[in-house]
Amino acid sequence: MTRASLVLNAGSSSLKFAVYKDGPGTRPAVLRGRIAGIGTEPVFSARDEAGRALPEDQGMQLEEGVGYDPLMASLLDWLNSRQGGVTITAAGHRVVHGGRDHAGPARVDAALLTELATLSPLAPLHQPHNLAAIRAVAAAMPGLPQVACFDTSFHHTQARLSKLFALPRALTEKGIIRYGFHGLSYDYIAGILPDHLDCRAEGRVIVAHLGNGASMCAMKARRSVATSMGFTALAGLMMGQRCGTLDPGIVLYLIREVGMAPEAVEHMLYQESGLLGVSGISNDVELLQASAEPSAREAIDLFCERAACELAALAVTIAGLDAIIFTAGIGENSALVRRLICDRLTWMGVVLDGEANGRSAVRISSPASAVDVLVLPTDEEAVIARSTQALLALQNDEVPSGQIARA
Ligand code: ADP
């Protein structure tokens, strides 16, 4: 019987899942997939170890508007029906916010769940779903060891100055500091840098994680020195629907002068801004690229202008730049976005190879470039699987195992 870990990455409107055989190191998932469009029109897709698409939605309840919990239960049923011969020994979860104390993955128990729930206001689009996924697995597979892997952990190496806001000290002591996110993605990229860069892998590298959520991380010796995101996942770059860094006076103005309720402001900043808000069309870069509307191009231009400015600011924290890594949906696929960002960085010695960029090659900088520019696909699920198995092995756990079976 093959023993394997289940990985769940629950986002604001999608749920990614993967199954990894137990064992040390990083290995390909034996099964991975996602349910997108949760809350609207859910779409299920999955692939086997060889990357072959699996038949859709057998046994999945995918009615329009169906919520997170029924979908989660349905997914566990589907996995159970698929996983003949595989025993699930553990579940690893992406948890966006780990607060101040978690510099690494943590075994889930009731106290941890209570602690993590207090951080939900800091990541309202993600944290409640992350915790709901943990509770759903606990209900379906009682006693199964579960591990929370935090997006904030990777940034625990940052110096105090990188974490401070210019606010009264008492607020800093209360934990109003820059935490940073997308740490699982940065962890994965940091792990593969030596495969793609010479000694520069240990140098000054900025990783641009450009997905629907977007941020950048400045690394030295493959450790986080500074990041564009902050106390919440709203700060830094312009994103699909999130505004990124904003004059905080705007928030006060909207509440006091325009009369908006705080909840309405929150909804606007998290879900109606960014590429969607500026274009008035969509948060989807592929769609915006294909649009002839001037507002679509303006949204992309603003996204790239903000990204280049953030990247240049981060370069200060690592005193220069040896390499830029583009990753995540936009970073891996949009040659236009990469070009518009890099064209704003020629003064730093960045020179793109237009042909290589056009086909999303791994190395897209020209030999004349002072800065290496690479496109590297990220894999948050692989990091979660590796961390989950390593933590449980470290705890010398007698892992109780069982077929996936809903209670
Ligand atoms: P998340 O995991 O944060 O939901 P992803 O990393 O999947 O997001 O990235 C989603 C973004 O990637 C969307 O804006 C989508 O348009 C963009 N994207 C995906 N494929 C392409 C492509 N071929 N060309 C341009 N943009 C793309």
Side-chain angles (χ1 to χ4, degrees), residues 14 16 34 209-213 275 283-287 289 328-330 333-334:
S14 73
K16 293 180 195 160
R34 70 151 68 188
H209 177 107
L210 308 181
N212 198 36
L275 290 165
N283 61 322
D284 186 325
V285 165
E286 211 172 355
L287 217 140
Q289 286 179 174
I330 301 168
N333 296 296
S334 175

Side-chain angles (χ1 to χ4, degrees), residues 9 11-14 16 34 94 126 182 209-214 240-242 275 282-289 303 327-337 360 378 380:
N9 179 348
S12 48
S13 65
S14 73
K16 293 180 195 160
R34 70 151 68 188
R94 176 188 181 199
H126 296 89
H182 290 136
H209 177 107
L210 308 181
N212 198 36
Q241 287 137 282
R242 285 173 253 167
L275 290 165
S282 173
N283 61 322
D284 186 325
V285 165
E286 211 172 355
L287 217 140
L288 294 178
Q289 286 179 174
F303 180 91
T327 193
I330 301 168
E332 290 166 29
N333 296 296
S334 175
L336 175 68
V337 165
S360 297
T378 194
E380 293 161 324

Side-chain angles (χ1 to χ4, degrees), residues 342-366:
C342 289
D343 280 356
R344 288 168 164 83
L345 301 171
T346 50
W347 59 273
M348 295 175 92
V350 174
V351 186
L352 271 197
D353 174 335
E355 185 274 328
N357 183 46
R359 60 184 165 86
S360 297
V362 171
R363 180 173 297 270
I364 59 169
S365 48
S366 98

Side-chain angles (χ1 to χ4, degrees), residues 16 34 94 181-182 185-186 189 206-217 227-229 235-242 275 283-286 289 300 302-311 314 324-342 345 357 364 373-378 380:
K16 293 180 195 160
R34 70 151 68 188
R94 176 188 181 199
F181 301 91
H182 290 136
S185 173
Y186 295 133
I189 298 292
I206 293 182
V207 181
H209 177 107
L210 308 181
N212 198 36
S215 73
M216 290 181 179
C217 179
T227 182
S228 61
M229 273 188 172
L237 306 183
M238 173 175 163
M239 302 176 221
Q241 287 137 282
R242 285 173 253 167
L275 290 165
N283 61 322
D284 186 325
V285 165
E286 211 172 355
Q289 286 179 174
I300 292 176
L302 184 59
F303 180 91
C304 297
E305 173 86 359
R306 292 289 317 124
C309 289
E310 288 279 354
L311 192 148
L314 284 172
I324 300 170
I325 313 296
F326 285 102
T327 193
I330 301 168
E332 290 166 29
N333 296 296
S334 175
L336 175 68
V337 165
R338 292 191 300 258
R339 176 169 66 74
L340 292 176
I341 293 173
C342 289
L345 301 171
N357 183 46
I364 59 169
V373 187
L374 306 184
V375 178
L376 298 177
T378 194
E380 293 161 324

